[in-house]
Every structure is written in C-alpha cells, then in structure tokens.
Amino acid sequence: MRRLAVLALVGLLAQLVDGALGMGYGVTSSSLLLVAGLSPALASASVHLAEVGTNLASGASHWRLGNVDWRLVGRLGVPGAVGAFAGAAFLSNLSAGWATVLMAVVLATLGTYILVRFALRPPAQSHNRVSPHTSRLLVPLGLAGGFVDATGGGGWGPVSTTSLLSAGRTAPRTVIGSVDTSEFLVSLSASLGFLLALGSAGIDLGIVAALLVGGLVAAPIAAWLVSRLPARVLGTAVGGIILLTNLRTLLVAAGTGGRDVLLWLSAAGLLALTALVHATRRHVRAASPEPTEEYA
C-alpha cells in the first residue's frame, strides 16, 4: 500500500511538472519504474497506459482555460501517434543508448537558447495564441517526438515543446497546452503498440492505477498554473528545466564522477535561477504602470 501511495505522489508531481512546463511526466515516472526493477519496455508501457488518462484530463483542463490551438494539436498529434506506434511495436526492446546522448546534446543546446532568449529578449511573437507553423515542420516533428517517446519511456514534451518554443512564434501557454493535448493521441497509440508487441503479461495494473490517480489530481492544477504564468517567466523556467535535465544525462554518459556532476549541475542551476529572477524582475517592471508627473 505504501508503494502505491508513493507512486501516486510521483504521478502527481510528474503531471504537475508536465502540465505546467509541457514535459517531464514520462521521464520522471519511467526513471522510478526502472529503479524498481521493471524492464524498459514494461516501464514505458505502464507509463503510457497511465498517460492515456492523465493526458485526457490535462487536455480537457487546458482547453477549458484557452491554452489549446486545435489546428496545432491535429498537425502534431496525428504523426506523433504514428511515430509512437512504430516505436512501441517494433523498437521497444532495442537499446536506444546511442540516441540518448545525441538527443541530450540537441535538447541541452535548445534549452540554453530558450533560457537566454526568454530571459534577456523574449520573442516578439511570444504571445501569439495561434501557431503559424505548417505541416512541413509539424509532421516530421510529430513523427520524431512520438518515436522517441515510445522507445525511451518519455520524450514527447522535451522534443515537441522544446522545438516549438525555440522557434519563438507561439505563446508558451499555447505550446504547452497543445503539446499536452496532442500527447493523448501519442500515449493511446503507444499503448496499443506495446499491448500488441508485449501482450498484457508483466504489466502491473496497480502501478498504472497509482500513476493515473496522482496525475488526474494534478492535471487541472497544472493547467491553471500555466494559464497564469507570464510568457517571459514560463519560457525561462522551461529552458532551465531542459538544460539541467539533459546536462545530467551528458555528464553521466561521459563518466563524470558524482561530485563533479553535482558541481556542474549546481553551477547550471545557479545560472538558471539567476535568469529566472532576472526574467521575473523584467516582467514586473514591464507590467508596472508608468509613473505620471504632477504639475503644480
């Protein structure tokens, strides 16, 4: 019972991060399940089954709060579902270690770019509530994001959210809400692929239910949070999360010692925190009314 309660808490926190920042649920939950001894395929299958429910709740919450661009959802989510099914059905049992390092390099670079851009000079169209991107970008992005998500136990948010935010042409709340909503199609398709490839043997429905309950509780809170945070602050926070997450992956892959990893992450964390404070101050200053002069 205690184990299930802990898993429910993990599901809650993971969905809170995912719903507010557009990424993190799969990576957080899958990491815990791997530590618990599940194989990569079963861990990913369990997470995606839970995500079918959490993504549905998250998408509904984002829609009610006006965070969803349905055209973006369709153009990104449908190819994402195709990529997820392919990854789950055919590649779930293959090692994707070689791709992990390459993806971490790309995401860390994009995370740094987003962090600096939103903290110092937010994109001029960062408040655009309708995405101008066409299928030429969204179809290959969806295919890649869905494939990585299914084979790695998570990655739809980091790939899709990072790429769309780095373009700087859509408001962060719209990107996050639309990516979260489209992830329902990705999770559903990946789950079907896993069930066809693996069957239901080995999948612990108690784990799935615990993750699902925690995620359902957090979904509306996260959607409300992202609708209230300013674009400058939210974009900077997302960039910091991406940078820290992928920097750790690169340091571990390079064989860096535990103390040095902590040192590098602390330095990067301080940089991200400084940028976030700067972005918050700039937002407060911009939102404050201009002082008026009184003449006698």
Side-chain angles (χ1 to χ4, degrees):
M1 188 65 185
R2 169 185 277 181
R3 181 190 184 201
L4 294 180
V6 171
L7 287 171
L9 179 60
V10 169
L12 187 150
L13 294 176
Q15 181 59 39
L16 193 62
V17 172
D18 186 86
L21 296 180
M23 64 192 73
Y25 186 93
V27 174
T28 302
S29 303
S30 295
S31 299
L32 177 67
L33 296 182
L34 289 174
V35 171
L38 271 70
S39 69
L42 289 177
S44 185
S46 300
V47 169
H48 281 91
L49 282 170
E51 280 187 308
V52 172
T54 58
N55 290 150
L56 184 61
S58 181
S61 298
H62 279 298
W63 168 66
R64 292 185 63 186
L65 292 168
N67 299 335
V68 178
D69 177 358
W70 288 106
R71 188 178 181 184
L72 175 59
V73 170
R75 290 184 173 184
L76 186 66
V78 172
V82 174
F85 185 87
F90 303 110
L91 299 174
S92 61
N93 291 317
L94 298 181
S95 173
W98 61 271
T100 300
V101 174
L102 177 61
M103 187 61 64
V105 171
V106 174
L107 293 179
T109 302
L110 289 173
T112 303
Y113 171 75
I114 294 171
L115 177 71
V116 173
R117 185 170 188 179
F118 275 89
L120 300 182
R121 190 174 181 181
Q125 297 183 34
S126 63
H127 296 283
N128 189 359
R129 301 299 301 281
V130 177
S131 176
H133 297 297
T134 64
S135 298
R136 180 177 296 182
L137 169 69
L138 298 177
V139 169
L141 178 61
L143 286 170
F147 184 84
V148 170
D149 189 79
T151 57
W156 175 252
V159 172
S160 303
T161 302
T162 300
S163 299
L164 293 175
L165 283 179
S166 67
R169 302 180 65 187
T170 312
R173 62 180 289 188
T174 299
V175 169
I176 292 171
S178 300
V179 168
D180 262 18
T181 302
S182 63
E183 193 172 7
F184 168 75
L185 299 175
V186 175
S187 299
L188 181 61
S189 183
S191 297
L192 292 175
F194 279 120
L195 290 174
L196 288 175
L198 303 173
S200 59
I203 297 178
D204 190 334
L205 294 181
I207 293 177
V208 175
L211 293 173
L212 176 60
V213 169
L216 290 177
V217 172
I221 302 174
W224 176 86
L225 183 63
V226 73
S227 70
R228 295 297 185 271
L229 290 176
R232 182 194 293 266
V233 176
L234 189 59
T236 304
V238 170
I241 292 294
I242 297 168
L243 173 60
L244 288 171
T245 301
N246 293 281
L247 177 60
R248 181 184 180 280
T249 300
L250 291 173
L251 291 172
V252 172
T256 307
R259 179 176 295 181
D260 290 336
V261 169
L262 181 60
L263 181 62
W264 278 101
L265 290 180
S266 297
L270 180 60
L271 172 65
L273 181 60
T274 301
L276 184 59
V277 171
H278 174 75
T280 303
R281 288 180 174 175
R282 290 287 297 271
H283 170 72
V284 171
R285 189 180 307 164
S288 299
E290 293 288 339
T292 56
E293 296 184 1
E294 295 184 0
Y295 297 92

